[in-house]
Amino acid sequence: QVQLVESGGGLVQPGGSLRLSCVASGSIFSINIMGWYRQAPGKRRDLVARITNTGSTNYADSVTGRFSISRDNAKNTLYLQMNSLKPEDAAVYYCNAMSGLGDFWGQGTQVTVSS
C-alpha cells in the first residue's frame, strides 16, 4: 500500500502562486509514476501533470508554462508549483501514485482562485 498526504492548498488571487506538496509513505519503492489531478464541482477528475521515475514530465495543455511538477526522492515528496493562477484553476487537487501494487490517491487539497 501507498499512503499520500497533500498540503498547500488555499485561497489565492488571480495571478498568484501556490505550491502543493504530497508526501508518500508505505511501499514507495513500488511507485512508477506520480501525478497531480484536479476536479472542479460537477466535472470529471483530470490530469494536471505527472512525472516518472526517470524525471520525464507531461502537463495538461491548460497549465503548460504556468505549472511545474517535481519530486524530491530523498523526502518522498511530490510538488506542484502553480504560477499565474486563474479562476478556472480552482478545484480540489489530488495526488496520485501509480505503482506495481495499484493506483493510489490522496485525500485532496482545495485550491480557490478568487479576488
Side-chain angles (χ1 to χ4, degrees), residues 13-15 66 84-91 111-115:
Q13 292 185 345
R66 299 188 298 122
S84 302
L85 281 160
K86 304 176 181 180
E88 51 264 42
D89 294 317
V111 172
T112 302
V113 184
S114 174
S115 54

Side-chain angles (χ1 to χ4, degrees), residues 5-6 10-11 19 23-24 35 39 48 50 61 74 91 109 111:
V5 179
E6 303 102 332
L11 172 64
R19 189 177 79 156
V23 178
Q39 187 170 20
V48 176
R50 61 187 174 192
D61 289 344
T109 185
V111 172

